[in-house]
Amino acid sequence: MSTSIPPAGAGAGTAPPASARLILCLALFVAGLVSAQPAHAFAPIQQIASPGGIVAWLVEDHSVPIVTLEASFAGSGSAADPQGKEGLANLTAELLTEGAGPYDSASFQTRLDDRAISLGFSAGAERLHAALRTLSRDRAIAFEMLRFALTEPRFDAEPIERVRAQILAQVQRSRQDPRAIANRVWYSAAFPGHSYGRPGRGTATSIGRIQREDLLGFAAERIDRGGLIVSVVGDITAAELAGLLDQTFGRLASGAKADDPKPAIASGPGGIMVVPRAIPQSVVTFGQPGILRSDPDFIPAFVLNHIIGGGGFGARLMTEIREKRGLAYGANSSLVAFRLSGLWMGSVATQNGRVAQSIDLVRQIWREVRENGVTAEELADAKTYLIGSYPLRFDSSRAIAGALAQVQEDNLGIDYFDRRNALIERVSLDDLRRVARRLMDPEALVFVVVGQPSGLEPTRPVPDQPS
C-alpha cells in the first residue's frame, strides 16, 4: 500500500489515540492558518541512477548527520515459499544479520553495535525488506555490512537453530492468540491453495523442514536486482549515494526473476465461521473482496473506508457499535492491497453475548451505505482529516524513507506526494456512491469468530489449519 494508505494489514482503520488526536487538531488548526504549505514537509525527491544502473529515490537532509535507507526485493516474500516449507522467507530475513562475509553472528552484531548502526530485514507477503540507519560518518561501513548480508550470508548452524527456536516460540504463541487465529482462518478460507492463504511465518512442521541449503538457495535466487527498490533519506549527496549503490547492490544478479504467484481472487460466499475458544470475549475478523492499488477507484474507496471504519471515533462502525450501543470497545476497517488482490477487512471484539448483534450491525452498515451512500458532512470531515493529517506521517527520516519505498512499490510516480491531496479533494459524493455499489456487498462479508458466541450459528466450516 502507499503513503496515503498503510501497508497490507497495517490497520488503516485503527483509531488514533487521544494524544494523537490532540496533535492532529493542532495540526489542522495550523494547516488552516498556513494553507499555502505543501502537502508534505520534506525536501524534493531526486531520482538518481548509479553508474551501474541502480536507481534510487533520495531526499537530502543535512540538518542531522543520519542516513536512512529502505530497500525491497520483488518476489522474495513469503508468497515465494515452496509448498511445505512455509516460513522460509521469514527465516532467511531473520538470519541475514546473524553473520555474513568474514563476520560470524557475534562479530557481525558487534561491528554494528560499536557504530550504532541499525540493520534489519523482514519478509512481507511479496517482498523482502531491508532497513538501514546510520550516522553519516559511518555510512561506508554501514553500506558494506548491508552488502555482506545481501551477498554473503553465512547461515551458520548455531544461529539457524537459535533463530528457528525463536520463531517456533512465536508461532506457538500465535496459536493461542485469538486475533491471530481469526486472521489465519480468514485468509486460509479466502485464498485456499494460494500463497496468500498460507501462514507467512510458517508452521512448526514447515519451519522444522527448512535446511541450510534452502536458506542459501533462497538468498541466491530471490535476492536480486530484478524489482529492486531503494529509498534513501538524510545526510548524503546524490554523488555520494551513487557510488555506494553500486558497491552495495552491484554484485546481485540482475537477470534472475522471481516466479509470479498465480492470480488470486478472494471470492466465495459470505458467511460465519466459529472457532470455539473458552474466552470471555469473542474476537471477530471480517472482510470481503476489495480493490487493487492500481484501480482508478482506489482513492474514493480509501475515503469511503475512512468514513466506514478507518476514521476512529467518527467512523460509522465505531459510532453504531460502540458509541450508540456500547457493544464493543472498538470496531474498525481497512483496505488491504496485495499486488494481485485487494481486500476490505475489519475487526470487532466484544462480549460473547453481543457478537451476533455486532455482526448484524456490520452488515446493516454495509447495506445502508451501498443503498444510500454517505452524507456530505461525512465526506467533508473525511477530507479535512485525510488532507490535514497527511504531513504528520513524515515526522522522521524512517517515515519518509518508508513512504518513498511504498510509493515506488505501488508505482504511483515520483510526483504522487504533490498530487495526493488533490486526488482526495476531488472525490465527490457520486464517486462514493459508485464505489459503494461496486464494492460493498453485505452478502459477501465473511466473519471469523474466535470465542464462545451465544445465539450465533456458523454457516461455513472452518478450513483445516496446518500444524
Side-chain angles (χ1 to χ4, degrees):
M1 302 185 69
S2 74
T3 53
S4 59
I5 296 89
T14 303
S19 57
R21 295 202 305 277
L22 175 59
I23 294 172
L24 173 61
C25 290
L26 293 172
L28 296 178
F29 175 71
V30 172
L33 294 178
V34 194
S35 58
Q37 289 296 310
H40 57 80
F42 52 82
I45 306 168
Q46 306 172 59
Q47 178 168 302
I48 67 171
S50 70
I54 307 294
V55 176
W57 285 9
L58 168 66
V59 171
E60 287 190 47
D61 179 359
H62 302 285
S63 62
V64 179
I66 293 175
V67 176
T68 300
L69 173 145
E70 295 272 345
S72 68
F73 304 85
S76 56
S78 59
D81 287 344
Q83 190 78 32
K85 293 189 177 179
E86 291 82 6
L88 176 57
N90 182 54
L91 182 56
T92 302
E94 295 290 338
L95 286 166
L96 290 178
T97 56
E98 293 286 347
Y103 304 102
D104 63 12
S105 177
S107 58
F108 193 97
Q109 294 294 330
T110 297
R111 199 158 193 249
L112 296 178
D113 291 345
D114 286 349
R115 294 164 181 80
I117 297 170
S118 172
L119 174 61
F121 296 87
S122 61
E126 293 161 328
R127 285 179 169 268
L128 186 142
H129 298 266
L132 175 68
R133 184 174 170 86
T134 180
L135 293 171
S136 53
R137 71 186 182 195
D138 295 322
R139 62 181 177 238
I141 294 174
F143 277 72
E144 179 186 49
M145 299 303 283
L146 174 58
R147 174 176 64 80
F148 277 132
L150 294 172
T151 60
E152 302 180 49
R154 293 169 62 116
F155 300 123
D156 292 333
E158 185 279 328
I160 287 178
E161 296 312 317
R162 172 167 46 82
V163 174
R164 190 200 307 270
Q166 293 169 352
I167 294 174
L168 287 172
Q170 294 168 359
V171 169
Q172 184 60 33
R173 284 197 298 273
S174 75
R175 294 181 68 83
Q176 309 303 320
D177 182 337
R179 178 61 65 198
I181 295 170
N183 290 339
R184 189 163 55 245
V185 169
W186 197 96
Y187 277 90
S188 67
F191 299 106
H194 190 271
S195 55
Y196 291 167
R198 295 188 288 159
R201 194 179 289 170
T203 66
T205 301
S206 67
I207 295 169
R209 293 193 184 111
I210 298 172
Q211 303 298 313
R212 181 172 185 269
E213 290 72 22
D214 299 316
L215 299 163
L216 289 167
F218 191 93
E221 296 169 9
R222 295 288 174 176
I223 302 177
D224 58 43
R225 290 167 54 180
L228 170 64
I229 284 175
V230 182
S231 303
V232 179
V233 178
D235 185 23
I236 189 170
T237 66
E240 292 166 341
L241 177 60
L244 289 172
L245 289 175
D246 280 345
Q247 294 172 26
T248 306
F249 302 104
R251 299 185 186 183
L252 296 173
S254 58
K257 294 294 181 184
D259 297 330
D260 288 332
K262 296 177 182 178
I265 301 174
S267 59
I272 298 171
M273 290 173 274
V274 175
V275 182
R277 287 290 188 276
I279 51 179
Q281 177 173 278
S282 289
V283 168
V284 182
T285 291
F286 63 89
Q288 62 145 87
I291 191 168
L292 294 176
R293 186 61 184 87
S294 57
D295 194 294
D297 275 337
F298 188 87
I299 289 292
F302 172 54
V303 175
L304 184 59
N305 173 68
H306 182 85
I307 295 169
I308 299 300
F313 281 88
R316 287 211 183 185
L317 286 174
M318 187 71 93
T319 299
E320 297 296 330
I321 294 177
R322 170 178 161 140
E323 298 300 304
K324 289 186 178 179
R325 297 170 178 82
L327 295 177
Y329 178 75
N332 62 72
S333 68
S334 60
L335 299 179
V336 177
F338 292 111
R339 186 170 62 87
L340 297 173
S341 184
L343 301 171
W344 199 337
M345 302 294 295
S347 67
V348 179
T350 186
Q351 295 178 17
N352 289 319
R354 296 178 170 181
V355 174
Q357 187 180 359
S358 297
I359 288 177
D360 286 344
L361 276 171
V362 172
R363 285 173 167 157
Q364 180 181 325
I365 291 168
W366 241 248
R367 188 173 295 108
E368 286 178 354
V369 174
R370 176 187 172 91
E371 294 175 355
N372 303 315
V374 300
T375 68
E377 182 180 5
E378 287 177 313
L379 175 57
D381 288 346
K383 288 181 178 180
T384 298
Y385 181 94
L386 294 172
I387 293 173
S389 65
Y390 193 49
L392 297 178
R393 297 188 176 191
F394 310 113
D395 59 354
S396 69
S397 60
R398 281 194 177 117
I400 297 170
L404 298 182
Q406 193 64 62
V407 168
Q408 290 190 80
E409 291 177 12
D410 290 340
N411 196 29
L412 299 178
I414 201 167
D415 63 341
Y416 175 77
F417 296 97
D418 296 320
R419 296 186 290 108
R420 182 264 193 189
N421 282 352
L423 294 173
I424 290 176
E425 188 58 55
R426 283 202 293 269
V427 173
S428 67
L429 283 174
D430 287 341
D431 293 330
L432 298 189
R433 290 191 193 97
R434 181 187 69 253
V435 170
R437 289 169 183 159
R438 173 187 168 190
L439 296 180
M440 300 185 76
D441 182 359
E443 303 307 318
L445 283 169
V446 176
F447 296 84
V448 176
V449 182
V450 179
Q452 293 180 311
S454 58
L456 183 71
E457 292 297 326
T459 61
R460 292 180 54 173
V462 175
D464 292 337
Q465 299 299 300
S467 59

